[in-house]
Amino acid sequence: MAGKISEQQLFEQLDDQAIELPSWAFGNSGTRFRVFGSAGVPRNPFEKIEDAAQVHKYSGIAPTVALHYPWDKVDSFEELRKHANGLGVELGTINSNTFQDEEYKLGSLAHRDPKVRQRAIDHHFDCIDVMNQTGSSDLKIWLADGSNYPGQDDMRTRQDNLADSLEKIYARIGSNQRLVLEYKFFEPAFYHTDVPDWGTALAQVNALGERAVVCLDTGHHAPGTNIEFIVMQLLRLGKLGSFDFNSRFYADDDLIVGAADPFQLFRIMYEVIRGGGYGAKSGVAFMLDQCHNIEDKIPGQIRSVINVQAMTARALLVDRDSLDQAQKAGDVLAANDLFMDAFYTDVRPALAKWRESKGLSPDPVEAFNSSGYLNSIAESRVGGQQAGWGA
Ligand code: PSV
Ligand code: MN
């Protein structure tokens, strides 16, 4: 429990925040209608890391980069790791990919054909080999598995297949590594998805063991879902492993986190803090999972981490002692007022001060924009194939 905290205490708490960036946010992306390219987009994972390092350089809170495999396949992960370290960042979560091969048309780890399942399991073994070279501790699994039509496949058998496949992957991860299972209620499968919700993800990871946890992607819920309730419950059960942060208006929009509903982000961060999920030692990893289809990608990522930091700061300002008293007294309006008071606090001046105390610019987006980096990559990254969602 904590009362209203001082600026000094707020700053100390903010020092404990780290947000992981997705390598794929720096490549071209779009919709099934059009992918708009832009000058200077990375042509390989090394250049993606260079761009990610810019986000950390100006924000001070994004020290790691998640990779997607095989999109980020390189000849030497040792080299990629050195490259990252030289730029002041580290390699983080390895995201597996069983959603783009012909063989996975009807699924991967839950497929009815044992040969396809084995192929998908082997892919995860490859991911674990990569983790051992990159020093990554989390293997994140999101599956496109599911069906489009009622009766198309047997949901129960697929669930059993999935459990069996996950068990084999779990048996392979190291004692300092985790298996993180991400759920999504639909898409690309439109009728049923094999890991549609937190309940299914939880049941599957519970069957595996302690080092299997759940990833909550904020874009993967039906409209109106009380996401902070799920955060509370997974933390309560010790099974919240990580976040994929982004914003949605309609479906899995992958927009800038905090852009669509900053209040929801505040409520989520409040439950994170309340439930012991905040800080380096908590075991909860905070990642972005976003695409920047029409805006500049690097400032888009800087804006994103700042949005998370801002709603974290507001959530840290909730006077929890007074809130607890109001709740116990059944004072509905006072409790709600205390909560909203923190949400309505403008933390921008405090965050600017926090940045200055770290030798950073008070306005990271402006500092980045005036650094000339975008022009320099537009001029130097000529030729080759720009990275896109999928490579
Ligand atoms: C699926 O929609 C997802 O959220 C998973 O995390 C994938 O790995 C990622 O998007 C790809 O962008
Ligand atoms: Mn995700």
Side-chain angles (χ1 to χ4, degrees):
M1 201 68 61
K4 206 166 175 93
I5 59 173
S6 67
E7 189 174 82
Q8 182 56 32
Q9 287 168 320
L10 176 66
F11 283 12
E12 281 165 18
Q13 292 284 330
L14 291 176
D15 288 349
D16 209 10
Q17 183 158 52
I19 299 161
E20 187 158 311
L21 307 180
S23 68
W24 53 101
F26 301 96
N28 286 327
S29 57
T31 66
R32 62 201 170 93
F33 299 101
R34 174 75 186 164
V35 173
F36 296 100
S38 44
V41 162
R43 283 115 6 122
N44 55 56
F46 288 86
E47 291 179 350
K48 290 183 194 174
I49 303 287
E50 286 162 24
D51 289 1
Q54 290 289 309
V55 179
H56 185 48
K57 176 175 173 189
Y58 289 96
S59 69
I61 50 172
T64 56
V65 191
L67 302 180
H68 220 292
Y69 190 78
W71 295 347
D72 294 316
K73 192 170 183 178
V74 287
D75 289 341
S76 163
F77 280 98
E78 190 45 44
E79 281 305 308
L80 191 66
R81 184 185 188 168
K82 276 194 208 137
H83 187 63
N85 295 165
L87 295 163
V89 294
E90 290 192 29
L91 303 178
T93 304
I94 300 299
N95 290 259
S96 64
N97 184 327
T98 57
F99 49 86
Q100 289 180 313
D101 295 11
E102 260 323 287
E103 287 81 352
Y104 297 138
K105 182 167 144 185
L106 299 179
S108 60
L109 295 180
H111 201 286
R112 296 296 291 274
D113 181 344
K115 284 200 292 301
V116 178
R117 291 204 296 281
Q118 191 55 51
R119 179 188 164 92
I121 292 166
D122 288 342
H123 166 69
H124 286 88
F125 290 168
D126 290 346
C127 288
I128 296 167
D129 288 345
V130 171
M131 290 166 73
N132 293 336
Q133 295 165 64
T134 53
S136 307
S137 55
D138 285 357
L139 169 65
K140 182 142 70 65
I141 306 178
W142 170 73
L143 303 168
D145 292 44
S147 68
N148 273 4
Y149 297 99
Q152 179 193 319
D153 206 347
D154 187 60
M155 295 191 283
R156 168 69 188 263
T157 303
R158 291 181 68 99
Q159 202 62 205
D160 294 339
N161 290 346
L162 174 63
D164 188 64
S165 301
L166 288 174
E167 206 180 297
K168 294 187 167 105
I169 298 166
Y170 186 72
R172 183 68 79 102
I173 61 168
S175 57
N176 54 352
Q177 294 172 337
R178 305 190 301 177
L179 182 157
V180 188
L181 185 61
E182 178 177 352
Y183 60 91
K184 179 174 181 178
F185 74 125
F186 91 115
E187 197 203 23
F190 293 127
Y191 166 59
H192 105 276
T193 292
D194 290 307
V195 189
D197 49 36
W198 69 273
T200 304
L202 181 66
Q204 287 286 353
V205 300
N206 272 345
L208 298 175
E210 234 177 59
R211 283 171 294 111
V213 284
V214 176
C215 169
L216 186 157
D217 182 313
T218 49
H220 291 183
H221 305 87
T225 301
N226 184 335
I227 297 175
E228 58 272 25
F229 180 88
I230 302 170
V231 171
M232 174 281 293
Q233 189 69 286
L234 288 174
L235 277 170
R236 180 176 164 266
L237 299 169
K239 283 294 182 185
L240 181 62
S242 67
F243 281 98
D244 269 7
F245 277 130
N246 50 51
S247 275
R248 55 160 286 156
F249 285 102
Y250 301 105
D252 191 22
D253 304 342
D254 280 342
L255 297 176
I256 288 175
V257 55
D261 188 349
F263 184 38
Q264 180 186 65
L265 181 56
F266 166 82
R267 299 192 311 262
I268 289 172
M269 289 314 302
Y270 174 76
E271 287 303 331
V272 164
I273 294 160
R274 157 74 183 83
Y278 183 73
K281 291 199 194 84
S282 72
V284 179
F286 296 84
M287 284 191 32
L288 304 181
D289 180 8
Q290 297 181 181
C291 296
H292 302 286
N293 300 350
I294 54 171
E295 68 276 22
D296 282 332
K297 299 165 201 317
I298 302 171
Q301 287 281 288
I302 298 176
R303 170 74 59 83
S304 306
V305 294
I306 286 175
N307 284 353
V308 176
Q309 187 183 41
M311 290 307 137
T312 302
R314 292 190 192 196
L316 285 164
L317 291 177
V318 172
D319 181 344
R320 284 174 45 204
D321 285 339
S322 305
L323 182 62
D324 186 54
Q325 281 167 26
Q327 288 172 348
K328 281 181 182 144
D331 195 337
V332 176
L333 291 180
N336 179 242
D337 240 12
L338 279 157
F339 202 70
M340 298 311 291
D341 186 45
F343 174 64
Y344 284 124
T345 308
D346 184 0
V347 294
R348 287 174 298 183
L351 293 183
K353 224 168 132 181
W354 177 84
R355 287 184 197 111
E356 279 174 321
S357 77
K358 308 269 162 226
L360 299 168
S361 163
D363 184 345
V365 173
E366 200 280 320
F368 171 76
N369 284 339
S370 51
S371 72
Y373 184 84
L374 284 181
N375 282 339
S376 81
I377 55 173
E379 278 166 22
S380 65
R381 292 179 185 168
V382 177
Q385 171 92 35
Q386 292 192 331
W389 195 83

